Amino acid sequence: IGSAPNRWLMRKLAEFGRGACSFVVSIESVEASMNDFLQRIDRPVWSDISLRWKGTVPLESYPERVPDLYAGEPIVLLLKLDPGGEAPQVILEGRGPDGMAQLAPVVPQAVRTNAGLGTRWAREKIESLIDSLPRGGDFETVKRNVTALGLEFHLVTAYTSLVAVDK
């Protein structure tokens, strides 16, 4: 609550704990914000979600730990596929209101001309690499990989920045 909470820290705590967070800007909106938040987390559509692959397995998948699914919120999965390979078949498994459930969505063939997808994937991979540090990831390896991704995809990271030159 307040005008300057550490949003990154709160989001990461919620993510690592498979929870959720909400930010309240003013004291007047505490009750409404808390009611919305409690109503949201009280009834997840699916929890404890995991992925199972049939046939082709993607080279990489992010986020590594799929978050719980709440009503009105999407789950976004980013996959790095073998360039010449088939689209994978995925089965999402999770705990719903009536017990364990499965869903087999169709994974579309990748659109190779959309630069935005590659950039989004690179951001997710960078975040995953940085998140590996508190779990014992090797700092030099993480730094080298994050730097390479930042340079390749022209992203600002903890180890890269962009410079504009006016001629």
Side-chain angles (χ1 to χ4, degrees):
I1 297 176
S3 60
N6 187 330
R7 290 177 180 268
W8 179 87
L9 175 63
M10 297 307 296
R11 279 195 292 268
K12 282 297 171 187
L13 287 171
E15 181 183 317
F16 277 96
R18 237 185 190 152
C21 66
S22 181
F23 299 98
V24 181
V25 180
S26 69
I27 200 75
E28 293 81 25
S29 62
V30 169
E31 185 176 354
S33 294
M34 288 306 299
N35 285 338
D36 290 346
F37 178 74
L38 293 172
Q39 193 172 43
R40 179 178 140 216
I41 65 170
D42 186 43
R43 292 185 301 278
V45 175
W46 269 21
S47 61
D48 302 320
I49 299 172
S50 62
L51 304 176
R52 191 163 40 95
W53 302 100
K54 289 178 69 178
T56 305
V57 176
L59 302 174
E60 296 177 38
S61 171
Y62 299 102
E64 292 178 13
R65 188 172 171 195
V66 180
D68 290 346
L69 175 63
Y70 297 98
E73 296 181 11
I75 289 182
V76 177
L77 301 174
L78 295 162
L79 312 175
K80 181 177 182 182
L81 306 175
D82 183 358
E86 299 273 326
Q89 293 179 358
V90 62
I91 297 173
L92 278 80
E93 300 175 318
R95 186 176 318 282
D98 299 324
M100 293 303 290
Q102 291 184 349
L103 175 68
V106 175
V107 177
Q109 286 290 343
V111 180
R112 287 165 175 69
T113 58
N114 187 335
L117 288 177
T119 301
R120 176 79 189 265
W121 168 83
R123 288 181 200 277
E124 288 290 327
K125 180 165 183 149
I126 288 169
E127 186 170 347
S128 178
L129 288 165
I130 298 293
D131 289 349
S132 75
L133 290 172
R135 296 186 305 258
D138 178 63
F139 176 78
E140 289 303 321
T141 302
V142 168
K143 182 178 178 181
R144 183 175 50 256
N145 290 334
V146 168
T147 301
L149 285 165
L151 293 173
E152 180 180 349
F153 289 90
H154 308 286
L155 298 172
V156 175
T157 70
Y159 316 111
T160 59
S161 47
L162 302 174
V163 177
V165 177
D166 185 17
K167 292 184 179 182

